[in-house]
Amino acid sequence: MMAYAIVRGATMVDTETADTAEWQARAKGLLKAELKRRNVTYAQLAERLAAIGVKDTEPNIRNKIARGGFTAVFLLQVMTAIGAREIRLD
């Protein structure tokens, strides 16, 4: 299946890629905001994840969040580890 292209400025953009990048940015922003709200660093997050049985390194966590392309499982693990009980999408 071929994605349609749109023009942004003078550049052709694959809509599938553009849409994915926007969703990844939104996911990244959501997680970073939740961590900031709770004053949790990446090092602390690695410790909290380990406490619930999720082994991951601080650099790996930082990279996952920076990309925004993490799994729903990772999102749920992080939210559980930091004690978040709800997610606001607006």
Side-chain angles (χ1 to χ4, degrees), residues 6 8 13-14 16 19-20 23 25 30 32 36 41 43-44 47 51 54 57 62-64 67 75 77 79 83 85:
I6 58 174
R8 289 197 179 157
V13 177
D14 179 343
E16 188 173 303
D19 290 343
T20 299
W23 284 109
L30 183 141
K32 288 181 84 169
K36 188 169 195 138
T41 65
Q44 292 168 330
E47 292 172 5
V54 179
T57 65
R62 181 182 295 110
N63 289 335
K64 281 183 190 180
R67 278 192 322 268
L75 174 64
Q77 290 169 334
M79 296 310 241
R85 299 292 171 245

Side-chain angles (χ1 to χ4, degrees), residues 4-44:
Y4 293 98
I6 58 174
V7 176
R8 289 197 179 157
T11 307
M12 293 288 287
V13 177
D14 179 343
T15 55
E16 188 173 303
T17 303
D19 290 343
T20 299
E22 289 172 17
W23 284 109
Q24 288 173 331
R26 194 168 173 196
K28 170 183 163 179
L30 183 141
L31 259 189
K32 288 181 84 169
E34 290 299 329
L35 292 171
K36 188 169 195 138
R37 229 178 250 115
R38 290 167 176 75
N39 295 317
V40 176
T41 65
Y42 293 123
Q44 292 168 330

